[in-house]
Amino acid sequence: MTPARTARGWRAPARWIAAKLGAAVLVVWVVATVVFFALRATGDPLEAILGGPGSQAGPETVQAAIDRYALDQPLIVQYLLQLRDIATLQLGDSYARRQPVNDLLEAQLPSTLLLAVLALALAWILTVASALIQALSRGRIGSAVGSAMRGLEIVASVSPQFWLGAVLIMVFASSLGWLPATSAGSSPATLVLPVVTLAIPIAGFLSQVSRDALVEADEAPFATSARARGASEARVLLHHTLRHAALPALALSGWALGSLLSGAVVVEVLFARPGLGRLLQEAALQRDVPVVIGAVAVIALIYVAVVILTDLVELAVDPRLRRRARPPQPEAETEAGR
């Protein structure tokens, strides 16, 4: 292998990595910019720093807050200082809690990540189960099963999480008493209702995408060829069509996790569960700019990281994508390699 060919082989992955890193920086910059100016438009941050309306802070305390947070500087200077803090991962102190933002995020992030990952895993289990049920059921009974499953998918995908969570609390906590209504405590049972609340809408959407892809794959030439070679329907499903049907839903897993992280705001508040979403909701109500920007920036970075990981998994699962990503080889080098 010549040095030129080696350089070309590394150039494509390097461009891909640079593009993903650039996308991550762009996402964080846009999010931080929107949040900063949106929160500033809601009122003077000095009021939030001093404890809200009616604060009895003296002139010295007010001046100390102004000096500490550079509130006497033009707005554009304050914005640039905020971007500098994000770039250096030094997000400052919370206005309301008087604690470093990094410490607050570090304490709340694991709880939210656990909730989102468990919800995504459950959503995928429900998606695969739905695809298997619809694919293995045939005939008149199968048609009825497929229609019922499609109806459930639609209902699940459009169910608002706050409504779904309230219904689950009413049925399984208040009426039956099987599960706790809040997430107070460390028992695994406290995770059940929040995880199910987050997972069902995502599972409904992923199931619809997978079902359409499964129908298309079932009619593809590779499936017909497998049947012609004597493969059973179960073998065609498990070894051929199901893998191809999972690819579109797999591509949407990054979006799904981002949706779960944003949905965690509603679910953590509804189930009184500690986490990044609840911290973000409280900080937004208190106009706690450093905490809101820090939390949103972390969520954005997690979303970009998951999208990159999803792309890598797609490359590992689908050999066609690896062939497309492989840089073309000049004819002369191809002949030399022979």
Side-chain angles (χ1 to χ4, degrees):
M1 183 179 293
T2 64
R5 185 174 178 180
T6 303
R8 278 193 294 272
W10 284 102
R11 198 173 299 156
R15 283 198 301 265
W16 185 82
I17 293 172
K20 295 300 180 181
L21 292 177
V25 172
L26 180 62
V27 167
V28 172
W29 172 69
V30 170
V31 167
T33 300
V34 171
V35 171
F36 178 85
F37 287 105
L39 289 178
R40 286 304 178 91
T42 62
D44 186 359
L46 184 60
E47 182 180 286
I49 295 170
L50 297 177
S55 172
Q56 302 297 319
E60 294 182 357
T61 303
V62 172
Q63 188 59 46
I66 292 174
D67 294 339
R68 181 176 183 181
Y69 295 101
L71 298 180
D72 55 343
Q73 300 294 324
L75 185 61
I76 188 62
V77 174
Q78 298 178 45
Y79 165 67
L80 294 176
L81 290 174
Q82 187 69 65
L83 292 183
R84 181 204 62 187
D85 292 342
I86 294 174
T88 58
L89 300 180
Q90 299 298 323
L91 300 175
D93 294 338
S94 164
Y95 292 168
R97 300 171 184 255
R98 302 295 192 271
Q99 292 178 261
V101 174
N102 290 354
D103 293 348
L104 292 172
L105 298 179
E106 184 179 352
Q108 302 299 329
L109 182 59
S111 177
T112 299
L113 282 180
L114 175 64
L115 187 64
V117 170
L118 290 177
L120 184 60
L122 178 58
W124 262 104
I125 291 172
L126 296 175
T127 297
V128 173
S130 174
L132 289 174
I133 291 172
Q134 295 186 63
L136 295 176
S137 58
R138 304 291 180 185
R140 294 169 58 186
I141 296 178
S143 177
V145 171
S147 298
M149 294 297 294
R150 287 191 291 272
L152 288 175
E153 290 169 0
I154 294 173
V155 172
S157 62
V158 300
S159 297
Q161 289 167 336
F162 67 88
W163 174 84
L164 183 60
V167 170
L168 292 176
I169 290 174
M170 183 177 63
V171 174
F172 294 100
S174 300
S175 299
L176 299 177
W178 291 353
L179 295 166
T182 63
S183 293
S186 58
S187 172
T190 61
L191 280 167
V192 175
L193 291 183
V195 168
V196 173
T197 301
L198 280 173
I200 286 180
I202 297 297
F205 182 78
L206 294 180
S207 296
Q208 293 180 72
V209 174
S210 297
R211 171 171 45 79
D212 294 340
L214 186 63
V215 172
E216 182 180 348
D218 194 57
E219 299 172 353
F222 64 83
T224 304
S225 299
R227 293 189 183 96
R229 293 193 300 267
S232 64
E233 289 296 329
R235 182 174 179 80
V236 172
L237 172 66
L238 296 176
H239 289 268
H240 299 282
T241 57
L242 189 60
R243 184 179 65 176
H244 287 76
L247 289 175
L250 182 62
L252 291 171
S253 293
W255 164 85
L257 187 61
S259 177
L260 290 170
L261 290 172
S262 61
V265 177
V266 175
V267 171
E268 288 174 354
V269 172
L270 182 62
F271 290 95
R273 178 178 176 78
L276 194 61
R278 192 174 176 189
L279 176 68
L280 179 59
Q281 182 257 354
E282 292 175 353
L285 292 177
Q286 296 166 342
R287 290 182 298 176
D288 198 339
V289 177
V291 174
V292 174
I293 290 181
V296 173
V298 166
I299 292 174
L301 283 174
I302 292 173
Y303 173 75
V304 173
V306 171
V307 169
I308 294 174
L309 181 62
T310 302
D311 290 342
L312 294 175
V313 173
E314 282 188 272
L315 287 172
V317 172
D318 192 348
R320 296 172 299 177
L321 296 177
R322 293 198 295 272
R323 287 194 294 269
R324 292 174 193 167
R326 190 177 301 152
Q329 303 298 330
E331 187 65 26
E333 290 193 10
T334 303
E335 292 297 329
R338 292 176 184 172

